[in-house]
Amino acid sequence: KSKKQSYSNKTNTMANFGELVLVLGDLHIPHRASKIPAPFKKMLVPNKMRHVICTGNLSSEDYAELSGLAPNVHVVAGDHDDANQMAFPESRVVQVGAFRVGVIHGHQILPWNSKEAVERVRRKLGVDILVTGHTHRNEVTSHSDGAFYHINPGSITGASSALVPDGKVTPSFILLAVQDTKVVCYVYELGEGDEVQVSKTEFTKKAEVDPQLEASNAKNATLMASLLS
């Protein structure tokens, strides 16, 4: 279930909702954007989040700033990083609660908008949630009937991208509140008049099925059916 509402300072109480994970990326400062918008900036309070996940395309100054927000900062290589000063891995896998969270920049997913390509990457990393960037458009999508989720935080600065048809990129980021097998996903977008809009999606990790147990149950069911026939 999801809903949308205006941002309120009450959102700061989400620290009581579980392990908080800030997900952002595609800053492109100073080449395509000058800074993180002020309404977002004031929301990024140090020591409120347990993790920061970044999908890449940031400067060394940006990385230093992110490092001051949380004790665990996980960054992957983008396609326009400050290559002379930083070297990040192509992918990362982070354990948060009961979830394995995989992170890549996203340019590796080909063809674009292919659920099969996303599934291949998720399967390769062996994760429950796959986080990507690159498109500069936020997304929270369920795959395989809720077996896993694909999350894209968009661009927190609203940096321009040729991948956005009309050229209008809405600044956005995502905050995850994780409680064991449950995730509440908050998507923050900067609307007209610098008004922050929030949408919320909730999902729960599905219980893993033991193939051997499932086969045994099927065999027993067949046996019982034959006895009763």
Side-chain angles (χ1 to χ4, degrees):
K1 57 183 179 179
S2 63
K3 63 181 181 179
K4 200 162 190 173
Q5 61 187 30
S6 295
Y7 170 73
S8 164
N9 286 334
K10 292 181 180 179
T11 309
N12 291 331
T13 64
M14 284 193 299
N16 298 322
F17 292 178
E19 197 169 357
L20 297 185
V21 184
L22 172 65
V23 186
L24 76 169
D26 288 300
L27 286 77
H28 290 283
I29 298 173
H31 305 292
R32 300 190 202 173
S34 60
K35 59 184 179 180
I36 294 174
F40 283 173
K41 188 83 168 181
K42 69 180 182 181
M43 295 167 63
L44 305 183
V45 181
N47 302 318
K48 293 293 185 181
M49 285 79 68
R50 181 67 178 171
H51 300 268
V52 173
I53 290 176
C54 180
T55 60
N57 288 340
L58 74 169
S59 68
S60 55
E61 290 81 7
D62 298 326
Y63 177 71
E65 186 172 345
L66 295 181
S67 297
L69 293 178
N72 305 290
V73 179
H74 317 279
V75 182
V76 293
D79 55 349
H80 290 90
D81 287 320
D82 190 345
N84 294 325
Q85 300 183 42
M86 300 180 298
F88 298 115
E90 284 288 315
S91 65
R92 286 185 181 272
V93 175
V94 182
Q95 185 75 38
V96 184
F99 294 87
R100 281 172 56 85
V101 182
V103 191
I104 63 171
H105 175 61
H107 63 281
Q108 305 94 329
I109 297 178
L110 295 171
W112 288 111
N113 298 321
S114 167
K115 289 186 176 181
E116 291 76 15
V118 171
E119 167 61 22
R120 283 196 299 271
V121 174
R122 182 207 69 84
R123 192 165 53 244
K124 180 180 179 181
L125 295 177
V127 295
D128 307 298
I129 299 172
L130 179 64
V131 176
T132 70
H134 190 58
T135 65
H136 293 215
R137 289 187 288 188
N138 68 72
E139 176 185 357
V140 180
T141 307
S142 170
H143 288 258
S144 303
D145 295 324
F148 81 96
Y149 276 76
H150 177 209
I151 292 176
N152 187 328
S155 168
I156 192 171
T157 60
S160 61
S161 172
L163 298 176
V164 179
D166 59 6
K168 296 180 180 179
V169 177
T170 300
S172 63
F173 71 91
I174 286 176
L175 188 66
L176 304 178
V178 182
Q179 288 184 320
D180 194 26
T181 60
K182 179 182 177 181
V183 174
V184 182
C185 180
Y186 299 88
V187 179
Y188 294 81
E189 294 182 329
L190 191 63
E192 294 183 3
D194 283 350
E195 180 182 9
V196 178
Q197 298 290 327
V198 187
S199 59
K200 183 176 76 170
T201 303
E202 299 180 14
F203 52 92
T204 302
K205 182 177 179 178
K206 287 190 173 182
E208 297 182 2
V209 177
D210 186 333
Q212 292 183 342
L213 179 60
E214 193 174 47
S216 177
N217 289 339
K219 184 177 179 179
N220 290 338
T222 301
L223 177 60
M224 288 299 296
S226 65
L227 292 173
L228 296 174
S229 61

